[in-house]
């Protein structure tokens, strides 16, 4: 006999803790061509009665699989991204180049590209990990629960309207998983070009997957956060201070950690408001 109230209470607890996605025990590689998926058992493959059948989501053609066993596919995708990014002379052109780019396997499972929001001349550029479900729907980064918390924290630190927000990847990873370093590597030329076009005074690296990838460091985010690092453009022309911080999705699960993020934002605001010599 099921205890409905116990289930409801458990569900409420999960929702309260920030759990908004159901995941299977084993990861599913949705970028693989459908042909490689195991055939379902005959009984399971019987279609549901018509009134319960949902319209299937549109599935674009399978994208190339990027993995360590396909370094040539990865290298070609990175080269194509570098070429496309280099031709973009402004953020609008960069957004269009990203939307048209076919080399990232995440594109196959996403509704649309999610590039950026915020002022193009912002002194702060925040780089998150990758779009989630709400971002995939709206086409804008950090607009779900975590993004709303980020906005509130930026506002409290006096940084509203002073931040340009983007991610390390521009398509939602399936099931909101962390993007792989291959997926980040394919999108990296676009991220680097965005930094060159915005020329922010500081970078805020939001979450472990952003901090580690952008800075090419292996430490955990708890060891990286609250410390200044230096980001350099490929030609060495730009050197921008970069500050890793905790991801707001983590803060929704661990509210006690908000104090650390708050310290990070104050550090950033203090550096911004220090008198500086314009270039
Ligand atoms: N988390 C991220 O890292 N980026 C988003 O855009 C949304 C959630």
């Amino acid at each position: 006999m099921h205890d409905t109230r116990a289930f409801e209470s458990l569900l409420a607890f999960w929702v309260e803790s920030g759990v908004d996605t159901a995941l299977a025990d084993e990861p599913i590689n949705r970028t693989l061509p459908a042909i490689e998926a195991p055939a379902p058992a005959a009984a399971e493959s019987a279609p549901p009665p018509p009134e319960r059948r949902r319209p299937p989501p549109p599935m674009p053609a399978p994208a190339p699989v990027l993995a360590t066993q396909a370094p040539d596919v990865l290298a070609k995708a990175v080269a194509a991204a570098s070429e496309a990014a280099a031709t973009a002379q402004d953020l609008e052109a960069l957004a269009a180049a990203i939307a048209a780019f076919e080399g990232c396997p995440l594109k196959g499972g996403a509704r649309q590209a999610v590039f950026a929001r915020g002022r193009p001349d912002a002194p702060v550029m925040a780089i998150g990990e990758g779009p989630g479900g709400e971002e995939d729907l709206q086409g804008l980064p950090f607009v779900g629960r975590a993004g709303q918390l980020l906005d509130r924290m930026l506002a409290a630190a006096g940084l509203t309207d002073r931040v340009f927000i983007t991610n390390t990847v521009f398509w939602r990873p399936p099931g909101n998983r962390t993007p792989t370093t291959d997926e980040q590597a394919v999108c990296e030329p676009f991220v680097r070009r965005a930094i060159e076009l915005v020329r922010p005074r500081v970078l805020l690296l939001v979450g472990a997957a952003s901090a580690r990838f952008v800075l090419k460091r292996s430490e955990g985010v708890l060891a990286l956060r609250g410390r200044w690092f230096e980001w350099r453009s490929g030609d060495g022309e730009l050197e921008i201070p970069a500050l890793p911080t905790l991801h707001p999705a983590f803060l929704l699960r661990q509210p006690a950690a908000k104090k650390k993020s708050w310290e990070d934002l104050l550090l950033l605001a203090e550096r911004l408001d220090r008198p500086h010599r314009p270039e």
Side-chain angles (χ1 to χ4, degrees):
M1 184 76 169
H2 297 309
D3 182 339
T4 312
R5 270 181 307 176
F7 277 135
E8 282 173 355
S9 159
L10 181 61
L11 276 175
F13 169 74
W14 280 342
V15 170
E16 192 56 31
S17 310
V19 177
D20 57 6
T21 307
L23 295 177
D25 289 341
E26 296 297 325
I28 301 168
N29 188 346
R30 295 185 198 280
T31 63
L32 286 172
I35 202 167
E36 293 183 19
E44 288 171 4
S45 66
E51 70 275 11
R52 287 175 45 211
R53 215 181 288 157
R54 286 209 200 129
M59 274 310 288
V65 178
L66 297 186
T68 42
Q69 71 269 25
D72 52 331
V73 177
L74 176 61
K76 274 188 195 147
V78 173
S82 302
E83 201 178 314
T87 58
Q89 296 307 310
D90 56 33
L91 289 169
E92 214 176 304
L94 188 60
I98 291 169
F101 184 64
E102 297 293 339
C104 180
L106 291 174
K107 187 171 186 173
R111 282 190 177 84
Q112 59 184 318
V114 176
F115 172 42
R117 69 176 168 98
R119 284 179 46 172
D121 60 347
V124 182
M125 183 157 165
I127 306 178
E129 300 187 351
E134 199 53 40
E135 290 76 19
D136 183 51
L137 268 179
Q138 295 192 36
L140 293 169
F142 278 109
V143 289
R145 279 185 76 215
Q148 287 159 19
L149 175 58
L150 180 66
D151 280 349
R152 286 198 298 276
M153 295 183 70
L154 292 173
L159 295 169
T160 300
D161 295 335
R162 299 180 81 189
V163 188
F164 181 87
I165 301 178
T166 188
N167 279 305
T168 62
V169 298
F170 305 109
W171 292 271
R172 179 199 190 186
N176 292 349
R177 65 161 168 73
T178 304
T180 66
T181 50
D182 281 358
E183 290 156 357
Q184 290 178 309
V186 172
C187 294
E188 190 178 24
F190 295 115
V191 178
R192 297 185 77 87
R193 187 71 187 133
I195 299 173
E196 288 165 9
L197 290 169
V198 173
R199 295 177 82 94
R201 284 179 48 209
V202 293
L203 297 176
L204 179 65
L205 306 177
V206 183
S210 170
R212 292 164 67 155
F213 190 76
V214 174
L215 298 174
K216 313 294 178 220
R217 310 273 309 199
S218 57
E219 298 99 311
V221 71
L222 286 171
L224 294 173
R225 64 145 286 271
R227 293 162 55 194
W228 287 104
F229 296 86
E230 205 71 28
W231 178 90
R232 278 188 192 81
S233 59
D235 57 8
E237 201 211 314
L238 276 182
E239 280 190 9
I240 302 178
L243 182 71
T245 192
L246 302 175
H247 198 286
F250 174 75
L251 302 180
L252 287 170
R253 294 191 297 274
Q254 304 277 339
K258 283 183 188 167
K259 183 173 176 287
K260 290 192 171 72
S261 288
W262 180 239
E263 287 166 6
D264 298 345
L265 288 185
L266 291 184
L267 203 60
L268 184 129
E270 185 268 329
R271 180 154 192 160
L272 267 191
D273 291 332
R274 250 187 242 164
H276 74 293
R277 228 170 3 102
E279 285 150 32

